Amino acid sequence: MKLSDFIFRYPTGHFKDGICRVRLFLNTQQECCVVLTDLERENTSTSIQNATQSLVERLKEVGHLLPGSRVFLHEPAHWFSSDAFWEIDPDCPSEIDHWRKAPAAELLQTLGCVKREFSTRLKQDKRLYTEVLRAQAQIDPDRRLGCPEPPEITRRRLELWENRVTKAELEHLVQMGAGEQELARLIKRDLSLLSEVYAHPEDEYIAFSELPIGDGGRVDFAVFSGCSWMKVTLIEIKGADFPLATQSGYRKFNHQIDIARTQLQERQYHIIQHHRDFHDRMHALRSQVEGGARPHNALLGPYGHLRVDPCKELSIYYIIIGGRTVDDEKEGALRYQNEIQLPKLHVESWDTFLRKLRRT
């Protein structure tokens, strides 16, 4: 049962305080549960993951966190990823090694609430979003006015813009039914086509082509992004010369998608078998690019670095882009069925990918 739901201001040790969403629950075992939701771009300072100690201490001071309470961190879903939850120890909240990944189904059962509680976005709740705007105005009155960014970031942003591949160029190839190699050549000219869809925050990314994984294995493309936890998105593409799903009842994906899925599952198996080595190699690769190297056709976003912690686990996602949409509703149901079985593997057609591109 939910007791309260509000926006909370907390100290971060930086110049500005941060804000997050706090939900208090009392479950059937009479346990008090506290869920702390990161507000991401609406936050005025560092994320809750990087300020757990001061946030938890402040909650205790004002009486929102009682002895014996269970505390959960909540990272909201993005384009294709699911909501992520961690249970932390309120007595030593900054000890990352003690954090436990909490499956969504388990958390909902613990809290005694329905899925809609976490699927509803902040801006859909007028009361809460009004609280957010009020807190932002108190902490940083000039936030909505914007502020000048460092000239090197502006310069890099303009450079990327001048060398961009337009949406119309990609759309033309898709409409012509281009094959995999032709589409790959276009994307390699401007890897920001992929980062625009899969990177978050949007200006903090590193994109690669032909990224090696395992002994002789590789993925077509990869995008590194994220804040605190580094998000590694591994991407396989296929051509736009076939329908995404078979035409006999839309019961399965085209065999080209199945081939891509097998390729990604092989990469996934290697990553699971060599988890620590893969983690270290990806962060070493990130450091090389941030230091000026450009392995695997690396493209560095405007900010020039990722605000991620190499001591934290990677969030790894797998994407397949291929085929054309014929019946969006039926194919959407097929993609959903696929993601139930493989929750971090997302399939989409070139049509759905193009819809997500914001550029002209």
Side-chain angles (χ1 to χ4, degrees):
M1 177 178 67
K2 185 162 72 171
L3 303 177
S4 190
D5 189 348
F6 55 92
I7 303 301
F8 185 72
R9 177 174 176 173
Y10 60 91
T12 63
H14 298 285
F15 178 66
K16 295 174 184 174
D17 287 350
I19 54 175
C20 69
R21 182 177 180 179
V22 177
R23 279 173 270 201
L24 306 180
F25 294 84
L26 185 67
N27 64 21
T28 55
Q29 285 75 42
Q30 298 301 300
E31 294 175 316
C32 183
C33 300
V34 182
V35 180
L36 309 175
T37 298
D38 194 83
L39 298 185
E40 300 174 306
R41 298 190 68 177
E42 298 294 344
N43 196 351
T44 49
S45 188
T46 188
S47 67
I48 61 172
Q49 291 91 344
N50 287 331
T52 51
Q53 188 72 43
S54 56
L55 172 54
V56 167
E57 287 177 0
R58 183 59 181 155
L59 285 166
K60 289 178 179 178
E61 287 175 8
V62 299
H64 293 315
L65 184 56
L66 302 175
S69 297
R70 298 177 66 180
V71 180
F72 299 89
L73 299 186
H74 170 214
E75 181 180 327
H78 301 306
W79 285 97
F80 56 88
S81 62
S82 303
D83 290 79
F85 302 92
W86 293 267
E87 183 170 11
I88 68 172
D89 184 348
D91 295 324
C92 49
S94 59
E95 294 293 331
I96 298 171
D97 292 341
H98 295 171
W99 292 13
R100 181 183 70 86
K101 195 76 177 281
E106 175 192 314
L107 182 72
L108 294 177
Q109 185 175 10
T110 299
L111 301 178
C113 63
V114 296
K115 184 178 180 180
R116 188 176 59 186
E117 179 64 43
F118 294 102
S119 61
T120 303
R121 301 297 97 184
L122 177 68
K123 290 186 178 180
Q124 294 175 273
D125 190 313
K126 184 177 180 181
R127 177 187 65 83
L128 282 173
Y129 195 58
T130 299
E131 284 189 41
V132 168
L133 296 177
R134 186 180 298 116
Q136 289 174 344
Q138 292 171 348
I139 296 170
D140 185 3
D142 297 329
R143 176 183 174 86
R144 297 290 167 180
L145 301 177
C147 60
E149 64 183 6
E152 61 271 16
I153 294 179
T154 304
R155 194 160 46 242
R156 178 62 177 156
R157 194 191 307 282
L158 290 173
E159 179 186 340
L160 291 170
W161 179 257
E162 288 170 356
N163 295 310
R164 77 193 185 285
V165 167
T166 66
K167 182 176 180 178
E169 290 178 79
L170 177 59
E171 195 165 18
H172 174 71
L173 284 186
V174 170
Q175 294 293 341
M176 294 292 292
E180 176 182 337
Q181 292 185 356
E182 195 172 358
L183 288 163
R185 280 195 295 270
L186 182 70
I187 294 173
K188 286 177 182 178
R189 282 174 44 201
D190 181 11
L191 294 176
S192 70
L193 280 164
L194 297 173
S195 63
E196 184 175 307
V197 174
Y198 299 117
H200 184 85
E202 61 185 26
D203 286 331
E204 300 175 36
Y205 62 83
I206 304 172
F208 302 92
S209 63
E210 301 294 332
L211 181 67
I213 297 177
D215 298 327
R218 63 183 63 241
V219 290
D220 291 336
F221 301 98
V223 177
F224 293 2
S225 62
C227 188
S228 188
W229 278 272
M230 187 163 81
K231 182 173 74 173
V232 176
T233 305
L234 305 178
I235 304 166
E236 286 288 332
I237 71 166
K238 294 298 178 184
D241 49 353
F242 60 88
L244 178 67
T246 59
Q247 300 301 293
S248 56
Y250 293 91
R251 293 184 178 178
K252 62 179 183 178
F253 288 120
N254 185 285
H255 73 280
Q256 290 289 336
I257 300 299
D258 288 334
I259 291 172
R261 181 161 49 185
T262 299
Q263 292 170 324
L264 283 180
Q265 285 174 328
E266 289 174 356
R267 305 292 88 78
Q268 184 182 43
Y269 178 76
H270 174 85
I271 291 169
I272 292 171
Q273 293 295 103
H274 305 87
H275 173 72
R276 180 47 54 183
D277 178 63
F278 179 78
H279 171 280
D280 294 343
R281 286 195 299 110
M282 294 303 100
H283 275 290
L285 188 58
R286 170 188 58 79
S287 296
Q288 289 178 33
V289 177
E290 291 174 343
R294 292 294 177 266
H296 314 301
N297 194 31
L299 179 71
L300 184 62
Y303 270 70
H305 67 279
L306 305 186
R307 294 176 295 169
V308 294
D309 186 344
C311 295
K312 294 182 178 179
E313 292 294 333
L314 299 176
S315 293
I316 306 170
Y317 298 92
Y318 304 85
I319 303 292
I320 298 170
I321 311 171
R324 298 296 308 278
T325 290
V326 177
D327 188 318
D328 193 51
E329 183 177 350
K330 291 180 179 179
E331 290 169 11
L334 184 58
R335 290 196 297 270
Y336 179 70
Q337 292 170 17
N338 177 78
E339 290 173 23
I340 291 175
Q341 302 169 29
L342 301 165
K344 288 198 172 185
L345 194 156
H346 179 72
V347 178
E348 60 184 337
S349 69
W350 285 108
D351 300 272
T352 59
F353 178 81
L354 283 166
R355 286 179 210 153
K356 296 176 182 177
L357 278 178
R358 299 182 296 277
R359 67 183 65 188
T360 56

